[in-house]
């Protein structure tokens, strides 16, 4: 059976768009914490993301490149923090995002960063204070102010995530899962022409890998060679790996065991989970302990392809 390359989530960069996600945020409020954690996780999942301090070239005029990045993105994540509206640049970007919702079908996903969504929607609290200051600065151009207010109300009306009383890590995983699911539905699959694939995948997800079936699941796909076991496993991995903290698809288990040994496979697994290139393991038993200690408190999805011995599991 021919093995197909594995990946965590479809990327728009190979399908016509330059970025999957555009991040809009007030740097002083969130850059070093929530935004950084979100951006790091997006990168780990292979989701092409525009973040101003990563993508903008030094000396480049900020507005044109930012606005162009929005037009070239599939999703816009707007992190609405307490001081977001005080930034003229944030409001200009926000207005462009709302414009692209209508023109390009940009999907907008707001995050309410410890602010009340109703305060954002109705311009109360710090948002009211911010617009009062803008009105002082733009007395001769109140049209801009009204446009910014309308854009803020529009975004605040959208379904999103409220961080109040929630673990940030859990919210980030929900965001990643939503984006990966949307990307899967938005872009055609390399398996779309395979007869019966969807029904097989749905049966696996519904009967064996769905919600409410326990915390730990061990599922085997068995059968004669050439039946499509690897292809089915690849498609399942593609669809749901984004819902986990970490994921790994390891191919050619039988051949790798014969040629490189189990320690090599253990290193490969940990390298993908930990996103580290150099893993130090000297024997199988040490590897078992490291894997157990590393994964025991994580929500992970691991696929081992072409297993032919219990020792490999």
């Amino acid at each position: 059976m021919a093995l197909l390359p594995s990946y965590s989530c479809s990327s728009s960069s190979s399908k016509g768009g330059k970025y999957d996600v555009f991040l809009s945020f007030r740097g002083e409020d969130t850059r070093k914490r929530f935004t950084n954690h979100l951006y790091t996780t997006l990168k780990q999942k292979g989701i092409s993301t525009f973040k101003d301090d990563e993508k903008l070239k030094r000396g480049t005029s900020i507005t044109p490149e930012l606005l162009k990045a929005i037009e070239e993105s599939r999703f816009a994540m707007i992190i609405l923090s307490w001081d977001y509206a005080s930034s003229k640049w944030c409001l200009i970007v926000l207005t462009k995002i709302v414009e692209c919702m209508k023109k390009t079908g940009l999907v907008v996903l707001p995050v309410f960063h410890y602010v009340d969504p109703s305060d954002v929607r109705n311009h109360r609290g710090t948002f009211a204070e911010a617009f009062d200051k803008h009105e002082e600065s733009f007395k001769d151009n109140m049209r801009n102010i009204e446009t910014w207010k309308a854009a803020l109300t529009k975004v605040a009306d959208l379904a999103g995530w409220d961080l109040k009383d929630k673990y940030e890590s859990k919210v980030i995983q929900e965001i990643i899962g939503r984006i990966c699911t949307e990307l899967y539905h938005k872009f055609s699959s390399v398996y779309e022409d395979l007869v019966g694939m969807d029904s097989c995948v749905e049966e696996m997800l519904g009967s064996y890998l769905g919600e409410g079936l326990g915390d730990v699941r061990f599922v085997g796909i068995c059968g004669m060679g050439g039946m499509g076991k690897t292809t089915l496993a690849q498609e399942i991995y593609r669809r749901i790996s984004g819902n986990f903290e970490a994921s790994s698809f390891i191919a050619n288990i039988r051949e790798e065991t014969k040629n490189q040994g189990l320690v090599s496979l253990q290193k490969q697994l940990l390298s993908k989970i930990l996103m580290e290139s150099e893993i130090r393991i000297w024997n199988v038993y040490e590897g078992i302990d490291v894997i157990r200690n590393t994964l025991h408190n994580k929500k992970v999805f691991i696929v081992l392809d072409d297993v032919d011995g219990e020792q490999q599991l």
Side-chain angles (χ1 to χ4, degrees), residues 34 40 55 57 65 102 114 138 167 194 223 253 278 306:
F34 180 81
T40 299
K55 300 296 183 182
K57 299 177 181 178
E65 190 165 349
K102 303 173 183 177
Y114 305 106
F138 294 91
Y167 290 107
L194 296 180
I253 294 289
E278 185 175 355
D306 198 21

Side-chain angles (χ1 to χ4, degrees), residues 121-219:
R121 186 180 306 112
N122 298 302
H123 317 140
R124 296 194 299 246
T126 57
F127 293 88
E129 295 171 7
F131 280 117
D132 287 342
K133 292 179 180 178
H134 288 312
E135 288 173 2
E136 286 292 322
S137 302
F138 294 91
K139 290 180 179 180
D140 297 330
N141 196 350
M142 292 300 293
R143 179 178 294 181
N144 277 347
I145 305 297
E146 295 305 317
T147 300
W148 295 345
K149 286 183 176 181
L152 192 63
T153 298
K154 177 73 174 179
V155 169
D157 278 334
L158 300 174
W161 290 267
D162 187 348
L163 289 184
K164 186 175 63 177
D165 300 326
K166 292 185 179 179
Y167 290 107
E168 291 188 359
S169 59
K170 185 175 182 180
V171 171
I172 288 175
Q173 288 306 313
E174 291 177 2
I175 291 171
I176 299 298
R178 167 71 184 278
I179 291 174
C180 283
T181 299
E182 293 273 355
L183 286 174
Y184 163 74
H185 288 295
K186 186 175 287 289
F187 304 120
S188 60
S189 168
V190 294
Y191 310 106
E192 63 183 0
D193 295 328
L194 296 180
V195 176
M197 177 58 68
D198 275 343
S199 61
C200 290
V201 171
E202 293 303 327
E203 181 180 355
M204 287 291 295
L205 296 181
S207 300
Y208 303 105
L209 297 170
E211 295 294 332
L213 297 179
D215 291 333
V216 179
R217 280 156 247 175
F218 202 119
V219 180

Side-chain angles (χ1 to χ4, degrees), residues 31 57 111 117 120 163-164 189 242 284 297:
R31 185 189 303 276
K57 299 177 181 178
V111 175
V120 182
L163 289 184
K164 186 175 63 177
S189 168
V284 171
N297 63 345

